[in-house]
Every structure is written in C-alpha cells, then in structure tokens.
C-alpha cells in the first residue's frame, strides 16, 4: 500500500464541545468533509468526538463548526491526562448563571412584555420591543443559523423555527414568537443535559484511575505522573489506595476491588504473579507491582476507547431515524405551506388564520424528540453495561443481542472453570488421609504433568503441608505416572493402567466399578499406592462453573429457544457437563471448522445466534455468529479486540443481564419513536378544526423531547 493511501486511512481524533443536537453533529460532519485535504470524517455524537482522515487544523475544524460555535481540542487518551489538566477542566466548567443567563434575561423580558401587554395592549411599541428583545437575546443564534440554512436550502429544525418566527413577526404574533423561541432554547438545553448525563458514565470511567503513582527506581521512591511511568517500573501500592497502572504483582498479597473494570462486587485475591488493573482499589495488603503496559494501553484506557467507539456505531434503528429525518423535515415544510395556502385559495379562509396554522405546523414538525430518541438510549445502555462489567462494542450488537434466539457455548473456560481441580479424593485403606495426601502432593510437585497442579492445590486447600516430605529417587513413568521414595518406601501415582500393567496389581471389582463411574462423568482418574496395593483414588476434572446452570435456566426463561454446547472434548465428558449445565443440545469432538459449521446451521434454523467463547480458540465461530461474546475481557487483549461483547469479569452470570438490557433498550427506542411521531400527529390533527397554536406546537415538541430523554435515561439505572 502506498504512503498516500496509508495517510488517507489514518484517522486523528478530536474532542468537540458545544453540540446541541444530533442534527447539528451531522451538519458538522458534512462541513468537515468539505474541507480541502480531508478524505473522510466521522462524528461520534455520543462521545462528543470527531475522527478525521487527512490534513486539517483545529482552526479549520472550528470554522466548520462556527454555526454552533463549536470548540475543538485534540483527543488525549483519557487516562493519561495529567492531574493539572483535569483540575483545569474542572475550573473551566461554566456555572449555571454563565450557561443560562441569556435565557433568564429573555424570560424576564417576556414577563415585562406581558405586563405591558395587559396595560398598553398587544400592538403597543413598548410591548413589541420587549417581546422582540426577548426573541433576539435567546434566539439570535437560532435565527442566524436558520437564515443561512434557508439560503442554502438546508432544511433542518432551525430552518423550520426561523421560518415560523419570520412568519409570526409578519402577522404580528410578537408574544407567541418570543415564547416559542425561548421554549425552543429550553428544548435544546434539555437535549444537551440528557446527552451529558448519558455521557457521564464514560467520564466517571475516565476519572477512576489515579494520575500519578508511587514508583521505586533503584533505591529511590517517588511520585511519578502516569504518562511518565515505563514498562518494568515497580509501583508501590499501599492499603486502601487506587491502582494507577496495569501490571503483575511481584511482592505481597491483598484483595483488590475490581468492580470498576469487571463489575465484580467481591474483591479478588491477588498474590505474586497475579494481574492487577488501573482504576481498581487495593484492599488491606501492601503490594508491589511490575508495570506491564503504558498508560494509553491500560485496560481501563482501552475500555474507555472501545465504549466511545461503540457509541459511534449506529444501530439499525438509529440508521432508520437518520434516513427518516431527511425526508420528514422537507415534507413538514411542504405540509405547512399547503396548510397556509390551500384553505384561503380554495375555501375562502382567512389568510392570517391559516398562515398562523401553517407556522404552527412548522413548529410542531421540529423532529427534536425523534432525532434524540435513539442515540441517548444507546449511549445510556452501553455506558451502564460498561459499569456492570459488560463491554458492548456498538449499537448494532446491543440491538442484535435482544433478538437472539439461540446461544452456543464453548465448554472449557466458558461453562466450566477452565482449570482442572480435584473433585474426588478417596482413601481405600485405613491410613492417615492428610499424611497420604502430603506424600502424593510432594510427588506431584516434582511432576510436569498438566494435572499435577490440581493435586498440589488440593493439598493447599486442605491445609496439608507437603514441603516437609522428602522425596528421593523421583521418576516419571512416561504415559502412566510417577514414582518416588519417601522414608524408604516407594510410592506410585498414576493412571489405573500403571497399577494393572506395570505393578501387576489386580484391582477389586468395587474399585474398577468406581473408576468406570467417575470416567463416565468425564473425570480423569488416578490411583496412588505402593508396589503391592492401592491406597487412594483421585479424580480430577474441569468443574462446571457454579453460575452455569442458573444462567442457562435464566436464558431459557427469557425465551432463548436453543442453548448448545460446542466442544472438542470427548463425548462422555461433554455429555456429563452438558447435562449438569442444562443445555438443550450437546455437540462433542468438534474441530474449530466444525464449530463454525454448527453456528451456521443454527443461524439457518433460528436466525440470530450468539456464540460465547474465550475469544481465542473459538475465533471462527465467534466471527460467524450474529453476536460474538468473549469471556474474561479484562485480562485478554484478544477478547477485547475480537468479540462484539466482552464479559470483563469472566462472569457468565452477566449474560442474562445483557439480553435483558438489550431488549429493554430496544423497547424504549420503539416507545420513544412511536411517542415522538404520535404526539406530532395528534398536534397536526388540531389543524383541521383550526385549534393548533404556536403554544401548543412548541409545548408538544418540548414535552416530547423531555419525555423521550427521561425514558431513555432509565437505562442508566437498570441493574442485574
């Protein structure tokens, strides 16, 4: 690829302050695309950002947004902003008076105007000047932009309002146009407030990670700004402190509250070798952490970036609204013109009456509520999901999740814990169970077998100390087990074949039946003993997650028609785990391409299908599914990048919540759209008897905007 092409495809991100509505964001995007040297531009209204491909300056961007007086700044990684920058941002935040003083002045002038109206009459010069002053103070920007749009034949809601104000002035409705302009300003303020509340969830994520950390370099300890911390530095984290950077614990142990990243309510135990994340809260232990990522690459920084990108991904419902609004606005202008002209021409109606009705149609036709209804719902839902430990990477996936009819699960690490553990430990002869377990663990401690760690962990769980057991003559018996001498006695640990074939021990029938029973449950059975008898039986398996069965039941209660387990494991293991979990169908001994084929077959039968896996081994099936859901996104770069949805805490119980959130979001969006259009139609029907007034029109618009905003923000409070 040529350098020119590479440059054209490189996007630079900028933050935008001053958006008042989704339509204005769209207009800004179009203006930026017309700048010479710009190949492409994408506005993210939800995150108040614009990404630009090509050569452009901040001055050029601000010129393109001059119609909204937009302020543009470069987009620094959220978590790498210095403490000083954060402090400055807080200081620069305008007060209520600074934000709304013009609106308050206008309200005062309108009150004075109505007093003059009562004393001097509607057409008195003082009355007219008071109403005109109120109109110009709160509506000068609106009228300026509206006139520019009208000259360009760019029909948006401000064009409609401007034509209505000009028409109202011509027919002398000074009081009403002043009130209409103020109420429109209130409506825009409501839109800004609603979107800012929805965006707040992302701002909270930005603020949770400290801006500096205590770093040890050589023999010195010093506070260092996070952007200056290097990979390999040692970070010292005191009890009760927030962790500033991602890294691995190299000394100490503690419990860390990871709720900000994973949504887990219970603190996670951390010791040497465990990973910790920026923005999480250390418990009562002192830990030393080796830094593994730069500040812009920390898990919290990537989550913020991905959530902001997700808000820019338009759901099909939002795409529909965008297309509808392009046709809707010119259509309203045509209807308004016909209402104003046809009755006087054809029915001998009063020109002043019907021109007024036409102006009211223009006002009621403003699609503010309709345009805001979808983006605020999506931003609220995605932001809430992020706080709950579910990363949804776009509005389209939020919408798709709600219509899923079948869910396919990988087995290992998804329905099961993914780590082998001892499920059964049975002593077969009269012997000290703990002492025997200590000997077995001491032998396994020297083994390289994948299942050895399960037995060692079992000993630790039972508080059995194997460190005092001295093993001599340790030998690995290839494919069968291990042996070693303890206090002059040789002990063996291995498969039943080791004792049957090599030691020529005849197993009792009861023991053989027990081995068969455990193997049918998908467990790996090992025996421990001496050269002439068996002393204990140990079964190891990848255990079913404690939440799996409940999750499957909840999904089925939500109307998911088919839950399928797709695994490459043996049929016997798959059948046992599948039955325990409660899936409706079990597919075993599958290669990755066969998993992909099964997902496609499910799609042919059920339509929308979700696939839940670890984001690595199941990549083909995850990619082919309608929604790919990866487990454990917080610690897995691949899961964050490849999945459509990532369960950050490796917590399957978040899956039913995600389905419910998706369905609730889609329900709210549909209600918002229906309400927005319905309230307009009802108001327009008032034209027939001539009852529609500018007051009713703007009240219908502001009422609808307020209603859909409040309805959408309910998604921010939805819990599991």
């Amino acid at each position: 690829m040529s350098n020119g092409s590479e440059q054209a495809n490189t996007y630079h991100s900028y933050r935008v302050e001053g958006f008042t509505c989704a339509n204005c964001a769209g207009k800004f995007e179009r203006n930026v695309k017309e700048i010479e040297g710009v190949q492409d531009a994408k506005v993210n209204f939800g995150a108040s950002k614009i990404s630009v491909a090509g050569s452009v300056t901040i001055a050029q961007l601000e010129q393109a947004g001059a119609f909204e007086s937009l302020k543009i700044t470069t987009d620094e990684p959220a978590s790498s902003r210095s403490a000083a920058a954060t402090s400055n941002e807080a200081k620069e935040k305008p007060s209520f008076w600074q934000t709304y003083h013009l609106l308050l002045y206008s309200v005062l002038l309108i009150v004075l105007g109505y007093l003059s109206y009562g004393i001097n009459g509607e057409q008195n010069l003082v009355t007219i000047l008071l109403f005109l002053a109120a109109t110009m103070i709160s509506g000068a920007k609106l009228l300026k932009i509206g006139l520019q749009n009208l000259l360009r034949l760019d029909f948006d809601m401000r064009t409609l309002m401007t034509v209505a104000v000009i028409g109202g002035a011509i027919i002398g409705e000074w009081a009403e146009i002043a009130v209409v302009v103020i109420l429109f300003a209130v409506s825009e303020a409501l839109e800004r407030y609603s979107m800012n509340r929805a965006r707040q969830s992302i701002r909270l994520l930005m603020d949770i990670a400290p801006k500096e950390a205590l770093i040890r370099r050589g023999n010195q300890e010093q506070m260092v700004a996070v952007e200056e911390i290097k990979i390999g530095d040692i970070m010292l984290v005191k009890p009760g402190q927030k962790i500033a950077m991602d890294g691995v614990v190299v000394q100490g142990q503690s419990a860390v509250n990871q709720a900000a990243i994973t949504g887990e309510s219970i603190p996670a135990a951390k010791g040497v070798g465990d990973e910790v994340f920026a923005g999480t809260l250390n418990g009562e232990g002192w830990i030393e952490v080796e830094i593994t990522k730069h500040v812009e690459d920390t898990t919290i920084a990537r989550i913020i970036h991905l959530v902001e990108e997700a808000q820019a991904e338009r759901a099909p419902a939002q795409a529909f609204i965008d297309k509808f609004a392009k046709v809707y606005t010119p259509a309203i202008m045509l209807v308004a013109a016909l209402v104003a002209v046809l009755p006087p021409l054809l029915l001998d109606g009063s020109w002043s009456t019907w021109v007024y009705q036409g102006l009211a149609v223009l006002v009621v036709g403003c699609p503010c509520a309709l345009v805001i209804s979808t983006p605020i719902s999506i931003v609220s839902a995605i932001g809430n999901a992020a706080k709950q430990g579910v990363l949804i990477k776009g509005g389209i996936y939020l919408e798709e999740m709600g219509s899923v009819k079948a869910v396919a699960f990988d087995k290992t690490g998804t329905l099961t814990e993914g780590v082998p553990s001892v499920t059964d430990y049975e002593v077969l002869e009269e012997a000290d169970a703990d002492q025997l377990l200590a000997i077995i663990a001491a032998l396994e401690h020297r083994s390289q077998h994948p299942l050895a760690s399960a037995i060692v962990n079992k000993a630790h769980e039972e508080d059995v100390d194997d460190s005092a057991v001295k093993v001599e003559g340790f030998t690995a018996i290839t494919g069968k087990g291990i042996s070693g001498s303890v206090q002059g006695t040789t002990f063996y640990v291995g498969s039943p074949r080791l004792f049957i074939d090599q030691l020529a021990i005849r197993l009792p029938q009861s023991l053989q039946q027990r081995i068969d029973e455990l193997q049918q449950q998908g467990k790996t059975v090992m025996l421990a003993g001496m050269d002439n008898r068996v002393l204990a039986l140990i079964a190891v398996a990848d255990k079913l997650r404690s939440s799996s069965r409940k999750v499957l039941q909840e999904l089925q209660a939500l109307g998911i028609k088919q839950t399928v387990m797709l695994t490459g494991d043996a049929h016997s293991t798959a059948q046992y785990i599948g039955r325990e979990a409660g899936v409706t169908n079990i597919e075993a001994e599958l290669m990755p391409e066969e998993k992909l084929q099964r997902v496609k077959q499910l799609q042919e039968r059920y339509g929308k299908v979700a696939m839940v896996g670890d984001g690595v081994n199941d990549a083909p099936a995850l990619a082919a599914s309608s929604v790919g859901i990866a487990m454990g996104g917080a610690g897995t770069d691949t899961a964050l990048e490849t999945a459509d949805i990532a369960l950050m805490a490796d917590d399957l119980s978040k899956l039913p919540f995600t389905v419910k959130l998706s369905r609730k979001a889609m329900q709210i969006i549909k209600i918002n759209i229906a309400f927005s259009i319905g309230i307009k139609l009802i108001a327009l029907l008032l034209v027939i008897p001539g009852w529609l007034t500018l007051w009713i029109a703007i009240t219908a618009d502001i009422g609808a905007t307020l209603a859909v905003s409040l309805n959408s923000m309910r998604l921010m409070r939805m819990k599991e």
Side-chain angles (χ1 to χ4, degrees):
M1 187 179 288
S2 69
N3 291 337
S5 295
E6 287 176 8
Q7 184 179 1
N9 290 323
T10 301
Y11 285 85
H12 299 281
S13 189
Y14 302 87
R15 297 223 165 242
V16 184
E17 292 180 29
F19 278 146
T20 56
C21 63
N23 273 350
C24 307
K27 183 175 180 180
F28 177 53
E29 181 180 286
R30 291 193 297 273
N31 288 352
V32 172
K33 286 180 178 178
E34 292 173 2
I35 297 174
E36 186 177 351
V38 171
Q39 282 83 34
D40 192 21
K42 298 176 182 177
V43 164
N44 182 339
F45 179 57
S48 286
K49 292 169 65 175
I50 184 169
S51 298
V52 183
S55 176
V56 69
T57 65
I58 287 179
Q60 287 176 307
L61 292 173
E62 290 189 338
Q63 180 60 36
F67 70 95
E68 273 277 280
S69 303
L70 299 180
K71 183 180 177 182
I72 313 297
T73 55
T74 54
D75 182 27
E76 299 176 67
S79 56
S80 67
R81 293 179 190 168
S82 66
T86 305
S87 175
N88 289 339
E89 285 178 8
K91 290 177 184 176
E92 291 171 6
K93 187 177 180 181
S95 66
F96 179 86
W97 173 254
Q98 289 173 315
T99 304
Y100 298 111
H101 66 283
L102 293 179
L103 192 58
L104 295 173
Y105 284 142
S106 296
V107 171
L108 177 61
L109 288 170
I110 283 183
V111 171
L112 294 174
Y114 272 104
L115 288 174
S116 177
Y117 179 95
I119 297 169
N120 303 314
E122 184 179 4
Q123 299 304 318
N124 177 268
L125 182 61
V126 174
T127 304
I128 292 172
L129 288 175
L130 285 169
F131 284 131
L132 186 59
T135 302
M136 295 310 297
I137 286 174
S138 60
K141 183 179 174 183
L142 160 70
L143 296 171
K144 177 185 174 183
I145 296 168
L147 286 170
Q148 291 173 345
N149 291 349
L150 194 59
L151 294 173
R152 299 190 192 110
L153 299 180
D154 183 2
F155 300 117
D156 65 5
M157 62 187 76
R158 292 183 176 181
T159 312
L160 300 184
M161 289 297 300
T162 301
V163 172
V165 169
I166 293 170
I170 291 171
I171 62 176
E173 294 289 345
W174 302 105
E176 291 208 30
I177 63 171
V179 173
V180 163
V181 167
I182 284 183
L183 289 178
F184 183 77
V186 170
S187 178
E188 287 198 326
L190 276 172
E191 283 193 42
R192 281 196 299 272
Y193 173 77
S194 301
M195 284 304 299
N196 285 338
R197 280 292 304 274
R199 292 172 184 138
Q200 189 65 28
S201 58
I202 307 306
R203 294 198 185 105
L204 290 173
L205 282 175
M206 293 176 182
D207 294 337
I208 65 172
K211 308 305 179 197
E212 54 185 6
L214 182 62
I215 299 293
R216 180 196 294 140
R217 289 176 178 166
N219 295 321
Q220 289 189 331
E221 296 178 4
Q222 55 186 320
M223 295 299 294
V224 179
V226 289
E227 57 266 29
E228 296 174 9
I229 295 174
K230 302 172 184 175
I231 292 174
D233 278 344
I234 300 298
M235 175 173 63
L236 311 178
V237 186
K238 299 176 183 178
Q241 277 190 338
K242 276 192 175 180
I243 296 170
M245 299 284 285
D246 282 14
V248 174
V249 177
V250 292
Q251 188 170 327
Q253 58 183 16
S254 186
V256 175
N257 186 333
Q258 300 186 147
I261 301 290
T262 66
E264 293 173 284
S265 58
I266 301 173
K270 299 290 182 180
V272 174
D274 290 330
E275 192 173 15
V276 294
F277 307 113
T280 57
L281 181 64
N282 185 29
E284 297 181 358
W286 169 287
I287 53 175
E288 298 185 8
V289 178
E290 182 179 345
I291 305 302
T292 57
K293 294 178 182 176
H294 293 115
V295 64
E296 63 270 18
D297 297 323
T298 61
T299 300
I300 185 64
R302 296 183 67 200
I303 290 172
I304 292 166
H305 173 71
L306 289 169
V307 171
E308 288 187 335
E309 292 300 307
Q311 292 173 343
E313 291 290 330
R314 295 178 178 176
Q318 189 171 349
F320 162 76
I321 290 300
D322 293 344
K323 291 177 183 176
F324 180 78
K326 289 179 181 178
V327 178
Y328 172 84
T329 306
I332 282 292
M333 294 199 72
L334 178 60
V335 170
L338 294 176
V339 168
V341 173
L342 290 183
L345 290 179
L346 302 180
L347 304 173
D348 198 27
S350 165
W351 278 99
S352 61
T353 299
W354 287 102
V355 167
Y356 178 88
Q357 291 290 301
L359 297 176
V361 169
L362 284 180
V363 174
V364 82
C366 287
C368 302
L370 184 64
V371 171
I372 199 74
S373 62
T374 304
I376 193 172
S377 298
I378 289 171
V379 170
S380 297
I382 290 176
N384 182 22
K387 288 192 293 183
Q388 301 292 330
V390 179
L391 180 60
I392 303 174
K393 295 177 62 179
I396 186 169
Y397 308 119
L398 177 70
E399 183 165 334
E400 291 277 276
M401 196 63 201
S403 55
V404 161
K405 299 299 180 188
V407 181
F409 296 88
D410 177 41
K411 180 184 76 70
T412 306
T414 301
L415 290 174
T416 66
E417 293 177 352
V419 179
S421 58
V422 174
T423 59
D424 303 86
Y425 171 53
E426 301 172 7
V427 177
L428 304 176
E429 295 188 6
E430 288 188 11
D432 186 321
D434 287 349
Q435 185 179 1
L436 182 57
L437 181 58
I439 294 171
I440 296 169
L443 287 166
E444 292 290 1
H445 209 87
R446 291 157 175 78
S447 172
Q448 300 299 315
H449 194 278
L451 300 181
S453 59
I455 297 174
V456 173
N457 290 338
K458 171 69 174 176
H460 292 167
E461 288 170 11
E462 300 292 333
D463 291 327
V464 171
D465 183 12
D466 63 299
S467 60
V469 178
K470 186 177 180 181
V471 177
E472 297 176 340
F474 176 83
T475 304
I477 305 165
T478 306
K480 292 183 179 178
I482 56 177
S483 68
S485 180
V486 177
Q487 294 181 347
T489 302
T490 302
F491 288 87
Y492 296 84
V493 182
S495 68
R497 302 311 312 172
L498 169 66
F499 289 83
I500 295 169
D501 297 342
Q502 188 151 332
L503 300 179
I505 295 175
R506 185 173 181 179
L507 301 182
Q509 186 176 357
S510 59
L511 177 56
Q512 188 61 58
Q513 287 176 345
R514 181 62 175 150
I515 292 170
D516 294 342
E517 179 186 339
L518 291 170
Q519 288 177 336
Q520 286 171 5
Q521 295 175 9
K523 299 175 181 179
T524 300
V525 178
M526 292 179 283
L527 301 178
M530 299 184 220
D531 55 12
N532 59 352
R533 65 185 190 273
V534 178
L535 299 175
L537 173 150
I538 304 166
V540 176
D542 182 9
K543 290 196 296 187
L544 187 73
R545 287 179 186 268
S546 58
S547 61
S548 292
R549 189 167 187 82
K550 184 181 177 184
V551 167
L552 268 296
Q553 290 171 345
E554 288 182 12
L555 289 176
Q556 288 158 9
L558 287 169
I560 302 297
K561 295 179 179 178
Q562 184 84 323
T563 52
V564 185
M565 185 176 76
L566 305 178
T567 179
D569 215 334
H571 279 288
S572 58
T573 303
Q575 288 294 327
Y576 180 77
I577 294 293
R579 284 196 302 269
E580 285 290 299
V583 294
T584 54
N585 198 13
I586 301 163
E587 299 271 359
E589 298 183 4
L590 299 177
M591 299 296 288
E593 59 270 21
E594 291 175 315
K595 287 187 179 183
L596 172 61
Q597 191 60 37
R598 295 299 191 277
V599 168
K600 289 182 177 179
Q601 289 170 358
L602 286 169
Q603 286 176 319
E604 289 173 6
R605 183 173 178 185
Y606 296 102
K608 305 293 185 185
V609 175
M611 172 70 192
V612 189
D614 60 13
V616 182
N617 300 329
D618 304 303
L622 285 168
S625 61
S626 308
V627 185
I629 303 169
M631 299 288 290
T636 313
D637 289 348
T638 309
L640 279 175
E641 296 299 334
T642 62
D644 304 321
I645 296 175
L647 306 181
M648 304 301 291
D650 200 25
D651 184 0
L652 202 60
S653 66
K654 300 289 184 182
L655 193 54
F657 162 73
T658 308
V659 174
K660 287 186 279 188
L661 178 67
S662 170
R663 291 181 180 178
K664 189 69 174 178
M666 292 307 106
Q667 180 189 38
I668 283 177
I669 287 172
K670 289 172 184 175
I671 290 172
N672 285 349
I673 292 171
F675 179 77
S676 302
I677 295 175
I679 203 78
K680 303 290 185 187
L681 291 175
I682 291 170
L684 289 173
L685 289 174
L686 296 178
V687 170
I688 297 172
W691 295 346
L692 183 62
T693 66
L694 290 174
W695 283 81
I696 293 174
I698 195 64
T699 302
D701 183 67
I702 194 172
T705 300
L706 180 59
V708 301
S709 298
L710 292 175
N711 194 35
S712 298
M713 286 193 289
R714 290 164 53 210
L715 290 165
M716 296 166 61
R717 299 189 297 273
M718 185 174 166
K719 304 293 182 184
E720 288 185 64

